[in-house]
Amino acid sequence: TQLLEQSPQFLSIQEGENLTVYCNSSSVFSSLQWYRQEPGEGPVLLVTVVTGGEVKKLKRLTFQFGDARKDSSLHITAAQPGDTGLYLCAGQEAGGANNLFFGTGTRLTVIP
Amino acid sequence: KAGVTQTPRYLIKTRGQQVTLSCSPISGHRSVSWYQQTPGQGLQFLFEYFSETQRNKGNFPGRFSGRQFSNSRSEMNVSTLELGDSALYLCASSLWPGGDQPQHFGDGTRLSIL
């Protein structure tokens, strides 16, 4: 059983479309991070959210941490081919082990 | 600023052998974590080292071990290799230990077991 479930698992869209990726858990997290990984490379940190209800924007990417700190979403506006990659959420379980748990991942393909 | 360096990038071994992977963290980072990434299980936490001490360990058998040196460089070792150990092994460094710290990843070592 995965601590963090992401949906959808795969997403293929046309350039210019909008999309949302979800990261859900039944556990509470003290913080949550989003990473993007491209083929042949390690994951790269995009953002960290720590407060329930927090919203952070990074250019065309909007990240939200759920009020109860059990879930998060990543919204991409006007997707571009450069957004293609594996998106991973990762969190530290509140009151749990002091290590990072990664989500199952969402593989995004943006078609030109 | 140099990033996290992992060597080797690719490795092919046979069942029963052992392997040692190396990770040099970002200068000034004292915490090093190791992860195993497979298509079926995703990214799984192996262990975390800080000040040459293992602070956390994931749910992996004792065949998986690691260590950290005084310069923060880290190695992980897998003994008696099994086919299921084929994976991308990622190392990440951070200033301090803990799951709330941003992880800076290397590009990994791809291990293939024949």
Side-chain angles (χ1 to χ4, degrees):
Chain A
T1 303
Q2 292 281 358
L3 195 63
L4 282 164
E5 296 284 346
Q6 287 184 239
S7 61
Q9 191 176 357
F10 298 95
L11 190 55
S12 182
I13 61 171
Q14 294 289 329
E15 181 177 359
E17 292 184 346
N18 302 332
L19 67 114
T20 302
V21 175
Y22 299 94
C23 174
N24 295 298
S25 177
S26 56
S27 299
V28 177
F29 289 89
S30 54
S31 66
L32 201 135
Q33 302 169 17
W34 282 92
Y35 292 81
R36 184 174 75 199
Q37 183 178 20
E38 299 187 28
E41 299 180 7
V44 175
L45 179 68
L46 296 173
V47 77
T48 301
V49 286
V50 296
T51 305
E54 182 177 3
V55 176
K56 279 192 174 180
K57 292 193 175 184
L58 185 66
K59 297 183 180 177
R60 294 176 294 99
L61 279 60
T62 302
F63 304 85
Q64 184 163 8
F65 201 11
D67 290 342
R69 292 185 290 132
K70 292 183 178 181
D71 54 82
S72 180
S73 64
L74 158 60
H75 182 79
I76 301 179
T77 303
Q80 298 177 1
D83 296 328
T84 293
L86 177 67
Y87 288 83
L88 297 158
C89 63
Q92 179 187 17
E93 192 178 12
N98 194 30
N99 57 270
L100 206 57
F101 288 95
F102 276 82
T104 48
T106 294
R107 189 165 297 280
L108 171 66
T109 303
V110 181
I111 303 166
Chain B
K1 191 175 186 181
V4 176
T5 303
Q6 290 188 246
T7 56
R9 287 296 310 275
Y10 303 93
L11 206 48
I12 299 175
K13 292 285 187 179
T14 57
R15 281 181 298 175
Q17 287 186 311
Q18 74 164 16
V19 66
T20 299
L21 312 181
S22 179
C23 172
S24 293
I26 290 173
S27 177
H29 284 194
R30 297 172 61 194
S31 177
V32 173
S33 297
W34 288 89
Y35 297 85
Q36 181 196 64
Q37 186 174 31
T38 60
Q41 297 296 317
L43 261 159
Q44 304 275 316
F45 172 75
L46 280 158
F47 26 66
E48 178 185 44
Y49 285 88
F50 177 73
S51 292
E52 303 177 63
T53 302
Q54 186 181 91
R55 287 178 51 88
N56 277 302
K57 191 177 191 305
N59 190 25
F60 279 82
R63 300 185 298 106
F64 292 81
S65 63
R67 59 178 176 168
Q68 187 180 34
F69 301 95
S70 58
N71 62 358
S72 296
R73 191 177 70 85
S74 177
E75 289 181 347
M76 69 162 280
N77 185 275
V78 188
S79 62
T80 320
L81 287 164
E82 300 176 0
L83 291 177
D85 297 333
S86 292
L88 180 66
Y89 289 88
L90 290 162
C91 163
S93 74
S94 58
L95 282 168
W96 303 105
D100 60 338
Q101 295 295 307
Q103 302 286 302
H104 298 264
F105 284 86
D107 289 336
T109 294
R110 184 162 296 282
L111 176 63
S112 299
I113 311 301
L114 303 179

